[in-house]
């Protein structure tokens, strides 16, 4: 059975689908406050009426004005209204990318404008209407679902995550290429204009959850979360790329080879993998969802810096994260520096 999403009022669930949703759209020099303003204004050739609708303080007022000037509506309006609507709904989502992420995250659900007032754009309230707005939205959704950055991941849901350092908001995403579930733990308000302090943390079950001292992951994870809270805002991306992308069971095999003398790179290669199998390109989808364009990146790993730059993210600063050096991971950290290019102060690994 096809699942259905019904929308109508902009302040209700899925209100971003409504033409009344606050979504500025710039066309040439003009900024239309909502797609409703633009749509209603296109009914008229009279410039002064168009201007009145443009300047209406709410979409509801824009709608009422179009009714007031009903006698001035252009003669071919019924022929062109569908293409006007299609154009402005497409522009709305092209220019308001947070809404586009939400639209794409509706997957293949049926989108219905549940309006008892309209049986052309909506379903007429009894489900018998044509739902033309819903059809346009589904067409726009199908288009953007194939485009970067919307094609990497889709957002599923978010919830509070209280931690020992502070309360984060946890956003869940699914990566399209692999089906893997990734997290973004957001602390504070990200839209203050400053680059966000972030960490791209690859999953390490042994270090992050089981207190392993073989690596530095758990120590880095704690410090990164603490640093974000101390900075007042930032994001910990928890990426499900266990074992540098080879998976948990293969990581145990690699650890076994390391117990017999291999270093971390030799062990991966002996198992037939590259030293580092991770790919960070999907992070572009999560960063875009959170509207992050510039970051301070906590890492010692230059590959992560390069990957984010390749994704079009501006790195204002690399923040070293040198944590957890201990007798069990000393050789591992030295190999990270010598073979994987990690940047450490000499005082940290000597
Ligand atoms: N394949 C593999 N071999 C080892 O010896 C390891 N210690 C790991 N650990 C994984 O590396 C990732 C963290 O590395 P960075 O600090 O981000 O460079 C994480 O996925 C661990 O599970 N993997
Ligand atoms: Zn680890």
């Amino acid at each position: 059975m096809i699942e259905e999403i019904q929308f109508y009022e902009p302040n209700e669930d899925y209100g971003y689908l409504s033409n009344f949703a606050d979504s500025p759209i710039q066309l040439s020099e003009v900024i239309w406050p909502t797609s409703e303003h633009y749509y209603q204004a296109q009914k008229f050739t009279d410039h002064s009426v168009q201007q009145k609708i443009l300047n209406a303080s709410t979409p509801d007022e824009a709608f009422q004005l179009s009714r007031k000037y009903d006698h001035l509506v252009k003669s071919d309006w019924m022929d062109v209204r569908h293409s006007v609507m299609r154009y402005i709904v497409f522009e709305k989502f092209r220019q308001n990318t947070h809404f586009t992420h939400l639209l794409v995250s509706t997957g293949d659900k049926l989108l219905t404008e549940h309006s008892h007032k309209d049986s052309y754009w909506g379903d007429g309230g009894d489900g018998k209407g044509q739902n033309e707005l819903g059809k346009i939205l589904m067409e726009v959704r199908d288009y953007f679902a194939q485009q970067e950055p919307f094609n990497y991941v889709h957002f599923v849901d978010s919830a509070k995550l209280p931690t020992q350092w502070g309360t984060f908001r946890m956003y869940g995403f699914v990566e399209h290429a692999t089906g893997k579930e990734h997290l973004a733990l957001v602390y504070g308000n990200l839209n203050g204009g400053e680059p966000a302090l972030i960490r791209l943390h690859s999953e390490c079950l042994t270090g992050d959850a089981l207190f392993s001292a073989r690596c530095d992951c758990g120590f880095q994870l704690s410090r990164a979360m603490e640093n974000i809270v101390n900075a007042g805002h930032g994001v910990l991306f928890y990426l499900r790329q266990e074992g540098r992308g080879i998976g948990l069971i293969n990581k145990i095999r690699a650890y076994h080879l390391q117990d017999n003398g291999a270093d971390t790179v030799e062990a991966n290669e002996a198992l037939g993998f590259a030293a580092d199998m991770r790919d960070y390109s999907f992070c572009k989808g999560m960063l875009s969802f959170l509207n992050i364009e510039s970051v301070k990146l906590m890492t010692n790993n230059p590959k992560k810096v390069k990957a984010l730059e390749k994704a079009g993210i501006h790195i204002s600063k690399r923040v070293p994260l040198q944590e957890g050096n201990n007798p069990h991971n000393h050789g591992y950290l030295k190999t990270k520096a010598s073979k994987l290019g990690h940047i450490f102060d000499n005082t940290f690994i000597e």
Side-chain angles (χ1 to χ4, degrees), residues 199-206 214-217 220 239 241-247 250-251 254-255 258 263-265 267-268 275-276 278 280 299 301 304 332 336 340 342:
R199 163 108 182 126
L200 300 182
H201 190 86
S202 298
E203 178 177 18
C204 174
L205 184 89
T206 46
R214 284 188 83 124
C215 59
D216 52 350
C217 304
Q220 288 185 309
L239 314 175
Q241 313 196 87
E242 175 60 72
R244 269 189 249 121
I246 67 174
N250 283 323
K251 188 171 85 170
Y255 277 176
Q258 290 168 42
D263 68 30
T264 180
V265 171
N268 257 35
D276 193 337
R278 287 172 291 180
Y280 300 96
T299 187
N301 185 350
K304 287 187 187 171
Y332 168 77
K336 266 187 159 183
L340 294 170
H342 285 229

Side-chain angles (χ1 to χ4, degrees), residues 301-332:
N301 185 350
K303 263 184 103 174
K304 287 187 187 171
V305 175
K306 283 211 182 91
L308 277 197
E309 283 172 344
K310 204 174 148 209
I313 305 298
H314 174 251
I315 313 240
S316 77
K317 189 178 172 192
R318 183 185 70 83
V319 180
L321 200 57
Q322 303 178 121
E323 298 297 327
N325 185 349
N326 70 74
H328 304 284
N329 69 12
H330 195 65
Y332 168 77

Side-chain angles (χ1 to χ4, degrees), residues 32-271:
W32 298 88
T34 68
S35 45
E36 185 69 17
H37 282 75
Y38 177 85
Y39 174 79
Q40 295 299 347
Q42 301 321 298
K43 292 179 178 172
F44 306 96
T45 44
D46 184 320
H47 186 66
S48 69
V49 176
Q50 280 206 344
Q51 284 302 113
K52 277 185 188 147
I53 295 177
L54 171 65
N55 295 328
S57 57
T58 62
D60 200 41
E61 191 186 324
F63 176 88
Q64 296 304 339
L65 280 167
S66 84
R67 296 304 186 263
K68 180 176 168 190
Y69 295 105
D70 210 17
H71 55 289
L72 297 177
V73 170
K74 56 191 182 192
S75 56
D76 66 346
W77 174 243
M78 293 309 264
D79 302 331
V80 298
R81 66 175 173 162
H82 196 278
S83 54
V84 169
M85 183 66 92
R86 200 167 163 272
Y87 168 72
I88 201 58
V89 171
F90 182 89
E91 275 306 308
K92 167 184 165 179
F93 286 95
R94 201 174 63 78
Q95 296 188 29
N96 292 271
T97 54
H98 189 65
F99 285 169
T100 322
H101 280 285
L102 296 177
L103 176 66
V104 168
S105 75
T106 64
D108 56 5
K109 291 182 185 148
L110 178 66
L111 305 178
T112 306
E113 191 194 39
H114 188 47
S115 165
H116 62 281
K117 292 184 192 154
D118 195 327
S119 57
Y120 178 70
W121 295 117
D123 71 352
D126 57 4
K128 290 183 183 150
Q130 283 177 241
N131 188 32
E132 294 299 327
L133 178 58
K135 287 178 195 161
I136 290 174
L137 285 163
M138 290 185 277
E139 189 191 334
V140 171
R141 176 179 69 190
D142 291 348
Y143 171 78
F144 282 110
Q146 307 297 323
Q147 308 298 314
E148 276 200 29
F150 312 104
N151 56 350
Y152 288 116
V153 293
H154 67 265
F155 163 72
V156 180
D157 210 343
S158 75
K160 273 200 286 192
L161 187 74
T163 72
Q164 66 184 92
W165 301 281
T167 299
F168 290 73
R169 185 141 200 106
M170 174 169 62
Y171 292 80
F173 299 87
V174 175
E175 184 186 350
H176 294 156
T178 60
K180 283 183 182 168
E181 297 168 337
H182 304 287
L183 300 177
L185 307 186
V186 176
Y187 185 82
N189 175 16
L190 298 179
N191 298 324
E194 264 179 72
L197 179 64
I198 72 160
R199 163 108 182 126
L200 300 182
H201 190 86
S202 298
E203 178 177 18
C204 174
L205 184 89
T206 46
D208 300 340
L210 303 177
F211 316 103
S212 168
R214 284 188 83 124
C215 59
D216 52 350
C217 304
F219 307 98
Q220 288 185 309
L221 177 61
S222 309
R223 180 67 70 199
M225 291 179 75
E226 188 183 342
N227 286 353
I228 287 169
V229 172
N230 288 342
H233 53 89
V235 189
L236 186 292
F237 291 93
Y238 196 81
L239 314 175
R240 310 295 298 285
Q241 313 196 87
E242 175 60 72
R244 269 189 249 121
I246 67 174
L248 181 59
I249 297 297
N250 283 323
K251 188 171 85 170
I252 297 172
R253 292 189 176 109
Y255 277 176
H256 189 165
L257 294 169
Q258 290 168 42
D259 290 344
N260 293 332
D263 68 30
T264 180
V265 171
E266 290 162 352
N268 257 35
E269 288 173 354
L271 292 169

